[in-house]
Amino acid sequence: MSRVELVPPDLPASDCVSFGQQLASSPESGLLVLGDGSTRHGPRSPGSDDERSGPFDSLVHSLLANADVDGLLGLDLDLARELGAQGRAAWQVLAGVPGPWRGSSAEFFAPFGVGYHVAVWERP
């Protein structure tokens, strides 16, 4: 059985963790977590250019690549909101899923000025 859960982009980190723990309660569960990075990469981006978007999405890429749950939980809600990074809450839900985890691959793309992260986490 599959289901879709939408995470409000302004959900506090503590609520994200609780939600991640609830989602992982089934031993057969697998998760596909979707969330955009910054919408402010370059002058033609939907959110207009912001020089903070590159460092922000570089940090997110590193955190996802390394399955760094503490780092993901430390992402700044206000900065993510300012940069149009709607994925912050979804990544923090993922961080709430009990580990341990290891990142097995990660990619980042920013077509049309919007950041997209693709990462695979596995159990060690």
PDB file of all heavy atoms in Angstrom, residues 64-93:
ATOM      1  N   LEU A  64      22.932  15.850   2.700  1.00  0.00           N
ATOM      2  CA  LEU A  64      22.227  14.701   2.135  1.00  0.00           C
ATOM      3  C   LEU A  64      23.211  13.623   1.693  1.00  0.00           C
ATOM      4  O   LEU A  64      22.976  12.433   1.903  1.00  0.00           O
ATOM      5  CB  LEU A  64      21.340  15.137   0.969  1.00  0.00           C
ATOM      6  CG  LEU A  64      20.108  15.961   1.346  1.00  0.00           C
ATOM      7  CD1 LEU A  64      19.446  16.532   0.102  1.00  0.00           C
ATOM      8  CD2 LEU A  64      19.117  15.137   2.150  1.00  0.00           C
ATOM      9  N   ALA A  65      24.323  14.025   1.078  1.00  0.00           N
ATOM     10  CA  ALA A  65      25.321  13.061   0.611  1.00  0.00           C
ATOM     11  C   ALA A  65      25.909  12.261   1.762  1.00  0.00           C
ATOM     12  O   ALA A  65      26.236  11.084   1.606  1.00  0.00           O
ATOM     13  CB  ALA A  65      26.432  13.783  -0.155  1.00  0.00           C
ATOM     14  N   ASN A  66      26.037  12.899   2.918  1.00  0.00           N
ATOM     15  CA  ASN A  66      26.651  12.246   4.073  1.00  0.00           C
ATOM     16  C   ASN A  66      25.639  11.716   5.089  1.00  0.00           C
ATOM     17  O   ASN A  66      26.035  11.273   6.171  1.00  0.00           O
ATOM     18  CB  ASN A  66      27.609  13.222   4.754  1.00  0.00           C
ATOM     19  CG  ASN A  66      28.785  13.545   3.872  1.00  0.00           C
ATOM     20  OD1 ASN A  66      29.541  12.652   3.501  1.00  0.00           O
ATOM     21  ND2 ASN A  66      28.927  14.803   3.489  1.00  0.00           N
ATOM     22  N   ALA A  67      24.350  11.780   4.740  1.00  0.00           N
ATOM     23  CA  ALA A  67      23.286  11.345   5.655  1.00  0.00           C
ATOM     24  C   ALA A  67      23.469  11.988   7.033  1.00  0.00           C
ATOM     25  O   ALA A  67      23.350  11.337   8.070  1.00  0.00           O
ATOM     26  CB  ALA A  67      23.235   9.818   5.750  1.00  0.00           C
ATOM     27  N   ASP A  68      23.750  13.274   7.032  1.00  0.00           N
ATOM     28  CA  ASP A  68      24.025  14.032   8.254  1.00  0.00           C
ATOM     29  C   ASP A  68      22.707  14.545   8.843  1.00  0.00           C
ATOM     30  O   ASP A  68      22.263  15.653   8.533  1.00  0.00           O
ATOM     31  CB  ASP A  68      24.972  15.186   7.929  1.00  0.00           C
ATOM     32  CG  ASP A  68      25.378  15.996   9.142  1.00  0.00           C
ATOM     33  OD1 ASP A  68      24.689  15.930  10.198  1.00  0.00           O
ATOM     34  OD2 ASP A  68      26.376  16.727   9.039  1.00  0.00           O
ATOM     35  N   VAL A  69      22.083  13.735   9.696  1.00  0.00           N
ATOM     36  CA  VAL A  69      20.778  14.105  10.233  1.00  0.00           C
ATOM     37  C   VAL A  69      20.867  15.319  11.155  1.00  0.00           C
ATOM     38  O   VAL A  69      19.970  16.166  11.147  1.00  0.00           O
ATOM     39  CB  VAL A  69      20.092  12.911  10.931  1.00  0.00           C
ATOM     40  CG1 VAL A  69      19.789  11.814   9.940  1.00  0.00           C
ATOM     41  CG2 VAL A  69      20.898  12.379  12.085  1.00  0.00           C
ATOM     42  N   ASP A  70      21.938  15.427  11.940  1.00  0.00           N
ATOM     43  CA  ASP A  70      22.066  16.595  12.821  1.00  0.00           C
ATOM     44  C   ASP A  70      22.195  17.873  11.997  1.00  0.00           C
ATOM     45  O   ASP A  70      21.606  18.897  12.338  1.00  0.00           O
ATOM     46  CB  ASP A  70      23.273  16.445  13.746  1.00  0.00           C
ATOM     47  CG  ASP A  70      23.076  15.334  14.770  1.00  0.00           C
ATOM     48  OD1 ASP A  70      21.907  15.076  15.158  1.00  0.00           O
ATOM     49  OD2 ASP A  70      24.074  14.719  15.182  1.00  0.00           O
ATOM     50  N   GLY A  71      22.958  17.818  10.924  1.00  0.00           N
ATOM     51  CA  GLY A  71      23.094  18.976  10.050  1.00  0.00           C
ATOM     52  C   GLY A  71      21.773  19.357   9.406  1.00  0.00           C
ATOM     53  O   GLY A  71      21.421  20.540   9.335  1.00  0.00           O
ATOM     54  N   LEU A  72      21.015  18.356   8.941  1.00  0.00           N
ATOM     55  CA  LEU A  72      19.706  18.643   8.340  1.00  0.00           C
ATOM     56  C   LEU A  72      18.774  19.279   9.362  1.00  0.00           C
ATOM     57  O   LEU A  72      18.030  20.207   9.037  1.00  0.00           O
ATOM     58  CB  LEU A  72      19.086  17.364   7.777  1.00  0.00           C
ATOM     59  CG  LEU A  72      19.733  16.818   6.511  1.00  0.00           C
ATOM     60  CD1 LEU A  72      19.187  15.433   6.180  1.00  0.00           C
ATOM     61  CD2 LEU A  72      19.532  17.763   5.333  1.00  0.00           C
ATOM     62  N   LEU A  73      18.821  18.780  10.593  1.00  0.00           N
ATOM     63  CA  LEU A  73      17.965  19.351  11.633  1.00  0.00           C
ATOM     64  C   LEU A  73      18.374  20.775  11.989  1.00  0.00           C
ATOM     65  O   LEU A  73      17.568  21.542  12.505  1.00  0.00           O
ATOM     66  CB  LEU A  73      17.975  18.458  12.871  1.00  0.00           C
ATOM     67  CG  LEU A  73      17.287  17.114  12.682  1.00  0.00           C
ATOM     68  CD1 LEU A  73      17.493  16.234  13.906  1.00  0.00           C
ATOM     69  CD2 LEU A  73      15.809  17.290  12.376  1.00  0.00           C
ATOM     70  N   GLY A  74      19.613  21.144  11.693  1.00  0.00           N
ATOM     71  CA  GLY A  74      20.096  22.484  11.983  1.00  0.00           C
ATOM     72  C   GLY A  74      19.824  23.501  10.887  1.00  0.00           C
ATOM     73  O   GLY A  74      20.161  24.676  11.043  1.00  0.00           O
ATOM     74  N   LEU A  75      19.212  23.077   9.781  1.00  0.00           N
ATOM     75  CA  LEU A  75      18.916  24.036   8.707  1.00  0.00           C
ATOM     76  C   LEU A  75      17.994  25.132   9.228  1.00  0.00           C
ATOM     77  O   LEU A  75      17.047  24.867   9.964  1.00  0.00           O
ATOM     78  CB  LEU A  75      18.269  23.333   7.514  1.00  0.00           C
ATOM     79  CG  LEU A  75      19.176  22.424   6.699  1.00  0.00           C
ATOM     80  CD1 LEU A  75      18.368  21.668   5.650  1.00  0.00           C
ATOM     81  CD2 LEU A  75      20.298  23.224   6.037  1.00  0.00           C
ATOM     82  N   ASP A  76      18.278  26.341   8.822  1.00  0.00           N
ATOM     83  CA  ASP A  76      17.556  27.514   9.302  1.00  0.00           C
ATOM     84  C   ASP A  76      16.232  27.688   8.553  1.00  0.00           C
ATOM     85  O   ASP A  76      16.226  27.873   7.340  1.00  0.00           O
ATOM     86  CB  ASP A  76      18.446  28.740   9.111  1.00  0.00           C
ATOM     87  CG  ASP A  76      17.841  30.000   9.658  1.00  0.00           C
ATOM     88  OD1 ASP A  76      16.915  30.542   9.007  1.00  0.00           O
ATOM     89  OD2 ASP A  76      18.288  30.460  10.721  1.00  0.00           O
ATOM     90  N   LEU A  77      15.124  27.631   9.279  1.00  0.00           N
ATOM     91  CA  LEU A  77      13.792  27.792   8.704  1.00  0.00           C
ATOM     92  C   LEU A  77      13.643  29.125   7.984  1.00  0.00           C
ATOM     93  O   LEU A  77      13.136  29.179   6.864  1.00  0.00           O
ATOM     94  CB  LEU A  77      12.723  27.655   9.788  1.00  0.00           C
ATOM     95  CG  LEU A  77      11.303  27.984   9.359  1.00  0.00           C
ATOM     96  CD1 LEU A  77      10.597  26.735   8.866  1.00  0.00           C
ATOM     97  CD2 LEU A  77      10.529  28.604  10.492  1.00  0.00           C
ATOM     98  N   ASP A  78      14.089  30.198   8.606  1.00  0.00           N
ATOM     99  CA  ASP A  78      13.927  31.528   8.007  1.00  0.00           C
ATOM    100  C   ASP A  78      14.752  31.674   6.732  1.00  0.00           C
ATOM    101  O   ASP A  78      14.260  32.213   5.734  1.00  0.00           O
ATOM    102  CB  ASP A  78      14.291  32.627   9.013  1.00  0.00           C
ATOM    103  CG  ASP A  78      13.300  32.693  10.164  1.00  0.00           C
ATOM    104  OD1 ASP A  78      12.100  32.427   9.934  1.00  0.00           O
ATOM    105  OD2 ASP A  78      13.727  33.000  11.287  1.00  0.00           O
ATOM    106  N   LEU A  79      15.984  31.196   6.747  1.00  0.00           N
ATOM    107  CA  LEU A  79      16.814  31.278   5.546  1.00  0.00           C
ATOM    108  C   LEU A  79      16.215  30.435   4.429  1.00  0.00           C
ATOM    109  O   LEU A  79      16.128  30.877   3.279  1.00  0.00           O
ATOM    110  CB  LEU A  79      18.247  30.825   5.841  1.00  0.00           C
ATOM    111  CG  LEU A  79      19.198  30.831   4.644  1.00  0.00           C
ATOM    112  CD1 LEU A  79      19.328  32.219   4.039  1.00  0.00           C
ATOM    113  CD2 LEU A  79      20.555  30.272   5.046  1.00  0.00           C
ATOM    114  N   ALA A  80      15.776  29.223   4.759  1.00  0.00           N
ATOM    115  CA  ALA A  80      15.149  28.369   3.749  1.00  0.00           C
ATOM    116  C   ALA A  80      13.933  29.070   3.142  1.00  0.00           C
ATOM    117  O   ALA A  80      13.742  29.062   1.918  1.00  0.00           O
ATOM    118  CB  ALA A  80      14.753  27.030   4.363  1.00  0.00           C
ATOM    119  N   ARG A  81      13.115  29.700   3.974  1.00  0.00           N
ATOM    120  CA  ARG A  81      11.931  30.422   3.496  1.00  0.00           C
ATOM    121  C   ARG A  81      12.347  31.566   2.574  1.00  0.00           C
ATOM    122  O   ARG A  81      11.771  31.743   1.497  1.00  0.00           O
ATOM    123  CB  ARG A  81      11.121  30.941   4.678  1.00  0.00           C
ATOM    124  CG  ARG A  81       9.835  31.651   4.251  1.00  0.00           C
ATOM    125  CD  ARG A  81       9.043  32.226   5.419  1.00  0.00           C
ATOM    126  NE  ARG A  81       8.702  31.209   6.413  1.00  0.00           N
ATOM    127  CZ  ARG A  81       9.042  31.281   7.698  1.00  0.00           C
ATOM    128  NH1 ARG A  81       9.728  32.298   8.169  1.00  0.00           N
ATOM    129  NH2 ARG A  81       8.687  30.337   8.540  1.00  0.00           N
ATOM    130  N   GLU A  82      13.349  32.349   2.983  1.00  0.00           N
ATOM    131  CA  GLU A  82      13.807  33.476   2.171  1.00  0.00           C
ATOM    132  C   GLU A  82      14.335  33.025   0.812  1.00  0.00           C
ATOM    133  O   GLU A  82      14.206  33.735  -0.178  1.00  0.00           O
ATOM    134  CB  GLU A  82      14.894  34.248   2.913  1.00  0.00           C
ATOM    135  CG  GLU A  82      14.395  35.013   4.116  1.00  0.00           C
ATOM    136  CD  GLU A  82      15.526  35.565   4.971  1.00  0.00           C
ATOM    137  OE1 GLU A  82      16.666  35.660   4.479  1.00  0.00           O
ATOM    138  OE2 GLU A  82      15.263  35.903   6.137  1.00  0.00           O
ATOM    139  N   LEU A  83      14.931  31.829   0.766  1.00  0.00           N
ATOM    140  CA  LEU A  83      15.507  31.314  -0.474  1.00  0.00           C
ATOM    141  C   LEU A  83      14.516  30.473  -1.275  1.00  0.00           C
ATOM    142  O   LEU A  83      14.860  29.962  -2.337  1.00  0.00           O
ATOM    143  CB  LEU A  83      16.764  30.497  -0.172  1.00  0.00           C
ATOM    144  CG  LEU A  83      17.927  31.293   0.422  1.00  0.00           C
ATOM    145  CD1 LEU A  83      19.066  30.368   0.804  1.00  0.00           C
ATOM    146  CD2 LEU A  83      18.396  32.366  -0.561  1.00  0.00           C
ATOM    147  N   GLY A  84      13.290  30.317  -0.768  1.00  0.00           N
ATOM    148  CA  GLY A  84      12.283  29.533  -1.472  1.00  0.00           C
ATOM    149  C   GLY A  84      12.549  28.042  -1.435  1.00  0.00           C
ATOM    150  O   GLY A  84      12.044  27.301  -2.277  1.00  0.00           O
ATOM    151  N   ALA A  85      13.338  27.584  -0.472  1.00  0.00           N
ATOM    152  CA  ALA A  85      13.693  26.168  -0.356  1.00  0.00           C
ATOM    153  C   ALA A  85      12.586  25.426   0.394  1.00  0.00           C
ATOM    154  O   ALA A  85      12.647  25.258   1.612  1.00  0.00           O
ATOM    155  CB  ALA A  85      15.038  26.005   0.344  1.00  0.00           C
ATOM    156  N   GLN A  86      11.590  24.993  -0.340  1.00  0.00           N
ATOM    157  CA  GLN A  86      10.436  24.318   0.255  1.00  0.00           C
ATOM    158  C   GLN A  86      10.777  22.935   0.800  1.00  0.00           C
ATOM    159  O   GLN A  86       9.998  22.352   1.537  1.00  0.00           O
ATOM    160  CB  GLN A  86       9.317  24.198  -0.789  1.00  0.00           C
ATOM    161  CG  GLN A  86       8.810  25.525  -1.301  1.00  0.00           C
ATOM    162  CD  GLN A  86       8.039  26.294  -0.249  1.00  0.00           C
ATOM    163  OE1 GLN A  86       7.260  25.724   0.507  1.00  0.00           O
ATOM    164  NE2 GLN A  86       8.266  27.581  -0.182  1.00  0.00           N
ATOM    165  N   GLY A  87      11.935  22.394   0.451  1.00  0.00           N
ATOM    166  CA  GLY A  87      12.311  21.054   0.882  1.00  0.00           C
ATOM    167  C   GLY A  87      12.818  20.954   2.302  1.00  0.00           C
ATOM    168  O   GLY A  87      12.967  19.851   2.828  1.00  0.00           O
ATOM    169  N   ARG A  88      13.074  22.065   2.955  1.00  0.00           N
ATOM    170  CA  ARG A  88      13.660  22.039   4.303  1.00  0.00           C
ATOM    171  C   ARG A  88      12.880  21.136   5.246  1.00  0.00           C
ATOM    172  O   ARG A  88      13.438  20.267   5.915  1.00  0.00           O
ATOM    173  CB  ARG A  88      13.734  23.475   4.844  1.00  0.00           C
ATOM    174  CG  ARG A  88      14.515  23.679   6.124  1.00  0.00           C
ATOM    175  CD  ARG A  88      13.753  23.586   7.432  1.00  0.00           C
ATOM    176  NE  ARG A  88      12.382  24.033   7.391  1.00  0.00           N
ATOM    177  CZ  ARG A  88      11.473  23.645   8.267  1.00  0.00           C
ATOM    178  NH1 ARG A  88      11.768  22.825   9.247  1.00  0.00           N
ATOM    179  NH2 ARG A  88      10.225  24.068   8.184  1.00  0.00           N
ATOM    180  N   ALA A  89      11.579  21.270   5.303  1.00  0.00           N
ATOM    181  CA  ALA A  89      10.784  20.463   6.234  1.00  0.00           C
ATOM    182  C   ALA A  89      10.837  18.978   5.859  1.00  0.00           C
ATOM    183  O   ALA A  89      10.980  18.120   6.732  1.00  0.00           O
ATOM    184  CB  ALA A  89       9.341  20.958   6.268  1.00  0.00           C
ATOM    185  N   ALA A  90      10.741  18.662   4.577  1.00  0.00           N
ATOM    186  CA  ALA A  90      10.786  17.249   4.151  1.00  0.00           C
ATOM    187  C   ALA A  90      12.130  16.624   4.503  1.00  0.00           C
ATOM    188  O   ALA A  90      12.186  15.466   4.940  1.00  0.00           O
ATOM    189  CB  ALA A  90      10.526  17.151   2.654  1.00  0.00           C
ATOM    190  N   TRP A  91      13.218  17.366   4.332  1.00  0.00           N
ATOM    191  CA  TRP A  91      14.539  16.833   4.686  1.00  0.00           C
ATOM    192  C   TRP A  91      14.637  16.607   6.190  1.00  0.00           C
ATOM    193  O   TRP A  91      15.280  15.670   6.646  1.00  0.00           O
ATOM    194  CB  TRP A  91      15.653  17.761   4.214  1.00  0.00           C
ATOM    195  CG  TRP A  91      15.627  18.029   2.740  1.00  0.00           C
ATOM    196  CD1 TRP A  91      15.295  17.147   1.744  1.00  0.00           C
ATOM    197  CD2 TRP A  91      15.927  19.253   2.099  1.00  0.00           C
ATOM    198  NE1 TRP A  91      15.384  17.762   0.526  1.00  0.00           N
ATOM    199  CE2 TRP A  91      15.766  19.067   0.710  1.00  0.00           C
ATOM    200  CE3 TRP A  91      16.320  20.500   2.555  1.00  0.00           C
ATOM    201  CZ2 TRP A  91      15.987  20.071  -0.227  1.00  0.00           C
ATOM    202  CZ3 TRP A  91      16.535  21.510   1.630  1.00  0.00           C
ATOM    203  CH2 TRP A  91      16.370  21.288   0.255  1.00  0.00           C
ATOM    204  N   GLN A  92      13.991  17.473   6.971  1.00  0.00           N
ATOM    205  CA  GLN A  92      14.020  17.294   8.417  1.00  0.00           C
ATOM    206  C   GLN A  92      13.121  16.143   8.860  1.00  0.00           C
ATOM    207  O   GLN A  92      13.408  15.490   9.854  1.00  0.00           O
ATOM    208  CB  GLN A  92      13.685  18.608   9.128  1.00  0.00           C
ATOM    209  CG  GLN A  92      14.814  19.618   8.963  1.00  0.00           C
ATOM    210  CD  GLN A  92      14.564  20.932   9.660  1.00  0.00           C
ATOM    211  OE1 GLN A  92      13.427  21.360   9.849  1.00  0.00           O
ATOM    212  NE2 GLN A  92      15.652  21.597  10.046  1.00  0.00           N
ATOM    213  N   VAL A  93      12.057  15.858   8.112  1.00  0.00           N
ATOM    214  CA  VAL A  93      11.268  14.654   8.378  1.00  0.00           C
ATOM    215  C   VAL A  93      12.149  13.434   8.140  1.00  0.00           C
ATOM    216  O   VAL A  93      12.190  12.498   8.948  1.00  0.00           O
ATOM    217  CB  VAL A  93       9.995  14.602   7.497  1.00  0.00           C
ATOM    218  CG1 VAL A  93       9.350  13.218   7.542  1.00  0.00           C
ATOM    219  CG2 VAL A  93       9.003  15.671   7.931  1.00  0.00           C
TER     220      VAL A  93
END
